[in-house]
């Protein structure tokens, strides 16, 4: 069998050539000051930056601002330094006041505790007193003559004489007030006063006699005071 003839080999056609890239134009407004000119190569030394020209107005403004700030700072420091002694004295006074207030607070707390304890004791005493009063209301009130009893018969006579003598003295006093107000006549006043004074004198004499017999002592006011146990009788002369 005969072999077919070999196919002819074809080379691919050449593509279109790309245009050469152009160098970008430097922006002098936004770029740095060090701009490399086209005539300079990478091996050349860059040109020096020109110095900034002096600005007299800016220098004067900065000088005035600096002077003002220094003056304000100096004035503030001086005022603060002058206020330091007063502030130290005020701080010392505040510390002393705080210590004094703390001491008073401690005393008030102690007083509050004492008052609370006294209040509890008083409450208990009042409840006990209410209980005793309720119990006393349920009891029969005794007669005064049954309650106040002299230890001896002579002592009872002495008590009675003292009560009568005090009553006579009160009667004479009331007669005098009645005479001053015009409710008692002169004759009635003289007659009644003489009678009451005579009776009072006799009772006083009897009281002194009984007091001496009972061995009573006489105090500085001339009154007889008994020394009997559980009883004390005062007799006016």
């Amino acid at each position: 069998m005969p072999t077919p003839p070999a196919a002819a080999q074809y080379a691919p056609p050449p593509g279109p050539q790309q245009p050469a890239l152009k160098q970008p134009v430097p922006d002098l407004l936004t770029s740095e000051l060090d701009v490399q000119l086209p005539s300079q190569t990478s091996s050349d030394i860059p040109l020096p930056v020109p110095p900034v020209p002096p600005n007299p107005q800016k220098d004067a403004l900065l000088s005035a601002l600096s002077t003002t700030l220094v003056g304000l700072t100096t004035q503030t420091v001086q005022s603060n330094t002058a206020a330091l002694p007063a502030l130290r004295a005020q701080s010392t006074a505040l510390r002393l006041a705080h210590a004094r207030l703390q001491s008073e607070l401690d005393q008030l707390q102690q007083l509050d505790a004492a008052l609370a304890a006294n209040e509890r004791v008083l409450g208990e005493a009042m409840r006990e007193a209410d209980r005793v009063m309720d119990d006393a209301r349920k009891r029969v009130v005794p007669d005064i003559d049954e309650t106040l009893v002299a230890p001896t018969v002579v002592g009872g006579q002495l008590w009675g004489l003292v009560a009568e003598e005090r009553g006579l003295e009160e009667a004479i006093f009331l007669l005098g007030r009645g005479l001053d107000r015009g409710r008692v006549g002169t004759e009635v006043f003289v007659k009644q006063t003489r009678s009451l004074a005579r009776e009072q004198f006799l009772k006083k004499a009897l009281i002194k006699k009984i007091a001496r017999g009972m061995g009573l002592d006489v105090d500085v006011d001339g009154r007889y005071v008994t020394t009997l146990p559980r009883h004390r009788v005062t007799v006016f002369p």
Side-chain angles (χ1 to χ4, degrees):
M1 181 175 181
T3 59
Q9 295 181 357
Y10 296 94
Q17 295 182 357
Q18 295 180 356
L21 297 177
K22 296 182 179 181
Q23 295 293 333
V25 180
D27 189 0
L28 299 179
L29 296 178
T30 59
S31 62
E32 298 179 356
L33 295 178
D34 296 338
V35 180
Q36 188 175 4
L37 299 177
S39 60
Q40 294 179 345
T41 59
S42 59
S43 61
D44 296 336
I45 300 174
L47 296 177
V49 179
V52 179
N55 191 348
Q57 296 180 354
K58 181 179 179 181
D59 294 340
L61 181 61
L62 291 176
S63 177
L65 181 61
S66 176
T67 304
T68 303
L69 291 177
V70 170
L72 291 176
T73 304
T74 305
Q75 184 179 1
T76 304
V77 171
Q78 291 177 355
S79 61
N80 292 337
T81 304
L84 281 177
L87 292 176
R88 290 194 182 98
Q90 187 176 5
S91 176
T92 304
L94 288 176
R95 290 193 184 95
L96 294 176
H98 180 269
R100 184 166 57 252
L101 290 176
Q102 187 65 34
S103 177
E104 292 180 359
L105 180 61
D106 296 339
Q107 294 178 2
L108 289 176
Q109 290 177 353
Q110 295 177 1
L111 179 61
D112 181 68
L115 291 177
N118 294 338
E119 185 178 1
R120 289 193 298 269
V121 174
L122 180 60
E124 295 176 358
M126 291 181 64
R127 287 191 293 270
E128 182 66 19
D130 293 338
R131 186 187 64 79
V132 173
M133 291 174 62
D134 294 338
D135 185 44
R137 291 190 187 97
K138 298 177 182 178
R139 298 183 181 182
V140 180
V141 180
D143 190 11
I144 186 64
D145 295 332
E146 297 178 359
T147 304
L148 187 61
V149 180
T152 60
V153 178
V154 180
Q157 294 177 357
L158 180 61
W159 288 6
L161 289 172
V162 171
E164 293 176 0
E165 189 270 334
R166 299 297 295 175
L168 292 172
E169 184 178 355
E170 186 69 19
I172 294 173
F173 174 74
L174 293 177
L175 284 174
R177 293 186 62 181
L179 179 64
D180 294 338
R181 296 181 179 181
R183 297 181 180 180
V184 179
T186 306
E187 296 180 359
V188 176
F189 172 76
V190 173
K191 182 178 179 180
Q192 294 295 331
T193 303
R194 184 180 300 172
S195 176
L196 294 175
R198 184 184 300 109
E199 186 176 358
Q200 184 183 17
F201 176 77
L202 295 176
K203 290 187 181 297
K204 282 186 177 182
L206 185 58
I207 288 171
K208 290 182 179 181
K209 183 177 180 181
I210 294 175
R212 291 191 184 96
M214 294 179 65
L216 300 179
D217 299 330
V218 181
D219 60 5
V220 294
D221 295 332
R223 296 178 295 178
Y224 294 91
V225 181
T226 182
T227 57
L228 297 176
R230 298 187 302 169
H231 293 279
R232 183 179 181 87
V233 180
T234 301
V235 182
F236 293 89

